[in-house]
């Protein structure tokens, strides 16, 4: 009997061990990206919706229309997952109206005065789509085009590669430009965005990402979120929101977020810059810029405990407090997006840099490769 039981145990080990091994391998295997068809644009291009998941249970949906992040769930301090970005639940709604919800914005994030600039004394005229100015790449910027998308395997989570070819003269920009964006949802609950770009003619290039965050995961104002921006200076604007070229100290202004402050605390102060922006809609000059990845922002929401840190290789950070949201847009699950119910933290070069010699250059030359890395890192406390 003893002899047999030894044999049975040996047999069982032989049967079970490959199963155990395969389970281990399964865990190490990079997460699969699911893809479904999401409709067509007005000119008949097919659009898809991709779902990325990490091993913490977070989920991110991305469409190749505008390279838009449609939803992103993150845990609160009780490990409750909620969607913390604003957006729409159908392609139709994005096509109808979207204030750049979740999109990659380009070629130039933010404004260029009168849409004019020069490279080597050659003048260029961009499309005008914001008063007298050019905003976020023009009438048909990167947020309104269909990108090529391809899931990629990464060891630390789930990733999607998106590429777009912008032709010479598109929206008035010189040079054929190829942009690639990798979105990674990492197993450390980070949204990692890596951009690269190449041109065949000198051009200007300043892409950014335009997610509207609300860390409560609910429809509510963002005014109670506490914000830190690692910047001693910001770039003031004129009444058309074009940078004046000055770098002004944040000290003794509503723009001082060097230590944690509720967004609503000073937003109604009697300061001209707040009137021009209808609140915060400005670029901060990030401290110690040297092109390496540095912590730029910490955002905290006390009810959920959610924290979002933003790290970037860029010199500037546009903080927009959702001042143009006015309840006219109904988003996911028929939620009405009210005034200041989402905020954007857009890593970028300073607005109107092509016309400001003292700002870091945004010129991309043939043979050079543009690169940017920005990380939105989530946790809860
Ligand atoms: C940016 C701009 C704002 C506004 C929003 C979109 O943040 O700076 O002025 O255009 O995008 O509504």
């Amino acid at each position: 009997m003893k002899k047999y039981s030894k044999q049975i145990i040996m047999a069982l080990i032989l049967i079970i061990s490959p199963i155990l091994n395969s389970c281990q391998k399964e865990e190490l295997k990079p997460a699969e990206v699911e893809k479904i068809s999401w409709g067509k644009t007005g000119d008949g291009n097919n659009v898809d919706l991709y779902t990325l998941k990490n091993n913490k249970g977070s989920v991110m949906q991305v469409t190749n229309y505008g390279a838009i992040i449609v939803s992103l769930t993150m845990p609160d301090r009780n490990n409750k997952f909620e969607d913390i970005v604003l957006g729409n639940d159908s392609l139709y709604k994005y096509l109808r109206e979207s204030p750049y919800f979740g999109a990659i914005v380009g070629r130039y994030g933010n404004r260029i005065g009168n849409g004019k600039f020069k490279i080597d004394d050659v003048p260029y005229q961009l499309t005008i789509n914001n008063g007298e100015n050019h905003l976020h790449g023009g009438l048909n910027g990167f947020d309104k085009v269909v990108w090529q998308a391809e899931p990629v395997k990464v060891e630390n989570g789930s990733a999607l590669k998106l590429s777009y070819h912008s032709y010479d003269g598109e929206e008035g920009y010189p040079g054929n430009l190829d942009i690639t964006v990798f979105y990674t949802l990492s197993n450390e609950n980070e949204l990692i965005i890596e951009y690269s770009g190449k041109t065949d003619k000198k051009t200007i290039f300043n892409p950014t990402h335009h997610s509207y965050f609300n860390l409560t995961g609910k429809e509510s104002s963002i005014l109670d979120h506490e914000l830190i921006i690692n910047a001693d200076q910001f770039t003031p604007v004129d009444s058309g929101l074009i940078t004046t070229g000055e770098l002004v100290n944040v000290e003794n202004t509503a723009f001082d977020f060097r230590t944690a402050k509720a967004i609503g605390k000073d937003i109604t102060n009697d300061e001209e810059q707040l009137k021009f922006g209808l609140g915060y809609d400005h670029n901060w000059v990030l401290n110690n810029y040297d092109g390496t990845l540095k912590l730029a922002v910490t955002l905290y929401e006390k009810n959920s405990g959610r924290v979002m840190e933003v790290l970037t290789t860029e010199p500037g950070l546009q903080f927009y407090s959702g001042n143009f949201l006015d309840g006219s847009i109904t988003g996911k699950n028929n939620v009405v997006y009210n005034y200041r119910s989402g905020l954007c933290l857009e890593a970028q070069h300073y607005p109107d840099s092509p016309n400001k010699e003292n700002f870091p250059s945004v010129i991309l030359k043939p043979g050079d490769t543009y690169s940017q890395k920005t990380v939105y890192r989530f946790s809860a406390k």
Side-chain angles (χ1 to χ4, degrees), residues 106-108 112 115-117 124-129 134-145 164 166-175 204:
R107 292 188 194 186
Y108 199 93
I112 296 178
K116 287 186 198 303
F117 67 97
Y124 293 97
Q125 177 66 59
L126 303 173
T127 46
I128 302 298
N129 62 329
H134 177 86
L135 174 68
H136 290 336
L139 291 170
N140 219 22
F142 292 174
D143 61 299
K144 294 183 191 67
V145 297
Y164 177 65
S166 171
Y167 61 86
D168 188 6
E170 191 177 47
E171 300 290 328
Y173 290 97
I204 57 169

Side-chain angles (χ1 to χ4, degrees), residues 274-344:
L274 290 170
K275 301 217 165 86
F276 287 160
L278 304 173
Y280 296 108
D281 193 356
H282 296 77
N283 169 71
W284 271 253
V285 176
L286 297 173
N287 290 338
N288 307 319
Y289 165 65
D290 63 3
T292 63
L293 194 71
K294 289 207 161 84
L295 180 67
V297 167
T298 307
L299 183 72
Y300 172 61
E301 198 283 306
K302 57 178 181 304
N303 292 320
S304 63
R306 288 192 184 92
V307 177
M308 180 174 85
E309 293 171 307
V310 186
L311 299 94
T312 187
T313 55
E314 288 298 283
L317 192 276
Q318 182 84 9
F319 162 42
Y320 168 59
S321 51
N323 313 311
F324 297 125
L325 295 174
D326 59 4
S328 62
I329 298 177
T330 304
K332 285 175 271 190
N333 304 315
N334 287 324
V335 165
V336 174
Y337 291 138
N338 289 311
Y339 191 45
R340 296 183 177 153
S341 58
L343 65 97
C344 302

Side-chain angles (χ1 to χ4, degrees), residues 184-203:
T184 303
L185 176 62
S186 83
N187 290 332
E188 285 76 49
N189 277 342
E190 299 160 315
L191 160 59
I192 304 169
I193 310 181
E194 288 158 294
Y195 307 71
S196 61
K198 278 193 149 314
T199 182
D200 63 358
K201 205 177 184 180
K202 266 191 191 174
T203 190

Side-chain angles (χ1 to χ4, degrees), residues 39 53 61 69 71 115 118 156 189 194-196 207-208 227-228 235 237 252 256 268-269 282 287 323 340:
K53 293 178 185 166
Q61 287 180 306
I69 293 180
S71 67
K118 284 182 184 164
N156 65 331
N189 277 342
E194 288 158 294
Y195 307 71
S196 61
T208 189
L227 179 65
I228 300 173
T235 53
V237 291
N252 297 323
D256 193 348
T268 52
N269 281 9
H282 296 77
N287 290 338
N323 313 311
R340 296 183 177 153

Side-chain angles (χ1 to χ4, degrees), residues 99-100 110-111 135-136 210 212 241 281 318 320 324 346:
Y100 308 94
N110 213 276
R111 294 174 179 78
L135 174 68
H136 290 336
H210 211 291
Y212 288 66
L241 296 187
D281 193 356
Q318 182 84 9
Y320 168 59
F324 297 125
E346 305 156 61

